[in-house]
Amino acid sequence: MSRRVVRQSKFRHVFGQAAKADQAYEDIRVSKVTWDSSFCAVNPKFLAIIVEAGGGGAFIVLPLAKTGRVDKNYPLVTGHTAPVLDIDWCPHNDNVIASASDDTTIMVWQIPDYTPVRNITEPILTLEGHSKRVGILSWHPTARNVLLSAGGDNVIIIWNVGTGEVLLSLDDIHPDVIHSVCWNSNGRLLATTCKDKTLRIIDPRKGQVVAERFAAHEGMRPMRAVFTRQGHIFTTGFTRMSQRELGLWDPNNFEEPVALQEMDTSNGVLLPFYDPDSSIVYLCGKGDSSIRYFEITEEPPFVHYLNTFSSKEPQRGMGFMPKRGLDVSKCEIARFYKLHERKCEPIIMTVPRKSDLFQDDLYPDTPGPEPALEADEWLSGQDAEPVLISLRDGYMPPKHRELRVTKRNILDVRPPPGPRRSQSASDAPLSQHTLETLLEEIKALREQVQAQEQRITSLENMLCELVDGTD
């Protein structure tokens, strides 16, 4: 009788475990907006969660160490006039986060290392260019201050956050609502899914679709797509019979899938979280109470089921910690932040190992917080792989780094940033709206100068007191 050979993999025994009750974040009113984003973003310093807020949109930012019950008066980040739909931490500055809203704007925020006394209401930058709700945000993986947004107007805009300008506007590629956008590892290409059931690979700098596949999943419900380390595309979607399905595709040959597997009949959209270091993809369905994970390899069937983490409570959303924020001493290879109705619970994925030594095979060098390119270099056609760091001695987040926004001369008569305009529009005289914008900006700058002068005066007074004291 032939014996079945079990596939060898160091990730075969990965297991998930919910953190102890005192490590959760309690009493958080998670947003009830019906939108298929993760509602949660996390980095090695902070946890950000979109919350219910009266009269606009808000999210809460907590230092990772601030576990337990959250005070009901804890300051929020509030500035949007309609619900927040997506948030994303800058990969090159742990104190900078972007938020997208139903009010058509994107706001970029500087989060201080100390706990603020009152709500943060002033973003560093407000980006206006979409004509409908903005539901997707994604920072460029290697270029400094480059942010992508996708809106209900079927337009993708790529911004330079350092200047507040539009770098690129892709406004004639998608005929319908965009469901997901993902950069590849060096930010040269985008993979997008759309309500027209087409999976597209786009070169954003050329504004061209380089490959596309219609009906990668035949169902009408939303599809998701992420790039893998090998340059393949991993997708989740639905069959014609509304069964959930996952697929693996080679963009050089979109005719046939590399792999296609049916999953189950739940109706929640599967959010894929991919770890390129281990080539494991974790599938978290909104409304599910489980996380399924698969290893993607070069051998058939290419997408290998590993295991399922199950719990009793369904998830409202999910945050995924970057690799540099994990505890390498405990062989932790992934950490999720699962949103319940009133709390957020960390879930830790571990590879069981007996040795206490650093496990080189589990932790190859991973992308660190330094960008490889400036925004202008990327726009001019340069590409660079992420700047890697070793996790051998663990990772310490750098101290607070301020994002400096250098706007163009405000007396420049060119139109404000936005999607491309026709020549006649750019030659038009300054409109009333532009004058009001300029006056508001001058007023804001004056207030900033006033605040700086007050700060200088208070520091001078402190210095005088110190000098008097030493005398």
Side-chain angles (χ1 to χ4, degrees), residues 96-350:
V96 171
I97 188 169
S99 59
S101 167
D102 218 331
D103 66 9
T104 77
T105 67
I106 300 119
M107 292 184 178
V108 180
W109 308 84
Q110 181 98 37
I111 305 298
D113 283 335
Y114 59 87
T115 301
V117 183
R118 56 182 68 86
N119 287 354
I120 300 174
T121 57
E122 291 294 322
I124 323 171
L125 195 61
T126 301
L127 302 172
E128 297 175 322
H130 288 282
S131 59
K132 291 186 179 174
R133 61 160 57 172
V134 187
I136 297 170
L137 287 176
S138 182
W139 291 89
H140 193 285
T142 63
R144 189 196 308 272
N145 293 339
V146 175
L147 176 66
L148 175 150
S149 63
D153 49 9
N154 314 336
V155 175
I156 290 175
I157 300 180
I158 298 173
W159 310 83
N160 181 348
V161 171
T163 61
E165 294 176 290
V166 173
L167 292 178
L168 298 163
S169 180
L170 308 175
D171 44 18
D172 51 4
I173 290 177
H174 299 90
D176 213 326
V177 178
I178 300 162
H179 286 148
S180 76
V181 182
C182 173
W183 296 96
N184 72 339
S185 62
N186 66 3
R188 188 174 68 85
L189 297 172
L190 296 171
T192 70
T193 62
C194 178
K195 195 176 178 182
D196 70 352
K197 301 210 300 192
T198 304
L199 166 64
R200 293 175 175 86
I201 311 300
I202 298 167
D203 183 328
R205 288 170 296 194
K206 291 180 180 168
Q208 291 176 352
V209 176
V210 293
E212 64 181 4
R213 162 76 202 213
F214 175 69
H217 299 282
E218 293 186 342
M220 287 305 297
R221 308 233 32 239
M223 243 196 310
R224 288 281 188 280
V226 291
F227 275 98
T228 71
R229 187 175 62 194
Q230 294 83 10
H232 289 158
I233 313 290
F234 180 89
T235 59
T236 64
F238 293 80
T239 66
R240 197 173 288 165
M241 305 300 292
S242 291
Q243 276 198 301
R244 294 199 293 197
E245 190 175 45
L246 57 85
L248 188 66
W249 305 85
D250 180 355
N252 299 316
N253 178 18
F254 259 152
E255 289 304 306
E256 289 296 320
V258 177
L260 202 61
Q261 292 182 26
E262 286 186 8
M263 304 267 292
D264 57 27
T265 51
S266 291
N267 58 6
V269 173
L270 284 168
L271 305 177
F273 296 94
Y274 177 71
D275 172 20
D277 294 348
S278 59
S279 223
I280 295 177
V281 65
Y282 302 85
L283 301 184
C284 309
K286 283 200 112 173
D288 288 10
S289 51
S290 62
I291 302 171
R292 268 173 280 206
Y293 37 109
F294 299 79
E295 187 179 359
I296 299 172
T297 70
E298 301 284 340
E299 308 93 46
F302 305 106
V303 181
H304 306 268
Y305 170 74
L306 290 173
N307 211 334
T308 300
F309 166 81
S310 295
S311 56
K312 291 175 184 168
E313 299 276 331
Q315 53 233 16
R316 299 280 296 276
M318 197 68 83
F320 187 52
M321 175 67 82
K323 209 57 173 280
R324 56 197 169 91
L326 303 180
D327 186 344
V328 297
S329 66
K330 294 180 179 165
C331 294
E332 181 184 14
I333 62 159
R335 191 188 312 154
F336 290 90
Y337 286 77
K338 173 180 170 176
L339 300 186
H340 300 244
E341 199 168 330
R342 299 282 302 192
K343 73 171 183 178
C344 175
E345 173 186 50
I347 293 165
I348 292 146
M349 299 287 179
T350 312

Side-chain angles (χ1 to χ4, degrees), residues 23-25 28 37-50 59-67 86-98 111 137 139 273 284 317-327 332-339 344-348 367 369 395 397:
Q23 294 300 303
Y25 306 82
I28 297 169
S37 83
S38 54
F39 285 8
C40 179
V42 63
N43 70 18
K45 276 188 176 183
F46 298 108
L47 167 68
I49 300 166
I50 301 173
F59 58 99
I60 190 168
V61 177
L62 300 166
L64 279 192
K66 192 169 178 56
T67 53
D86 199 14
I87 47 177
D88 197 25
W89 287 105
C90 175
H92 307 127
N93 187 335
D94 287 341
N95 292 79
V96 171
I97 188 169
I111 305 298
L137 287 176
W139 291 89
F273 296 94
C284 309
M318 197 68 83
F320 187 52
M321 175 67 82
K323 209 57 173 280
R324 56 197 169 91
L326 303 180
D327 186 344
E332 181 184 14
I333 62 159
R335 191 188 312 154
F336 290 90
Y337 286 77
K338 173 180 170 176
L339 300 186
C344 175
E345 173 186 50
I347 293 165
I348 292 146
Y395 170 78

Side-chain angles (χ1 to χ4, degrees), residues 458-471:
S458 99
L459 288 171
E460 283 173 343
N461 291 340
M462 285 166 67
L463 187 61
C464 290
E465 286 171 22
L466 282 170
V467 171
D468 292 346
T470 52
D471 289 347

Side-chain angles (χ1 to χ4, degrees), residues 54-84:
F59 58 99
I60 190 168
V61 177
L62 300 166
L64 279 192
K66 192 169 178 56
T67 53
R69 192 175 297 280
V70 176
D71 189 315
K72 69 175 188 300
N73 297 318
Y74 193 90
L76 303 176
V77 182
T78 62
H80 288 288
T81 56
V84 176

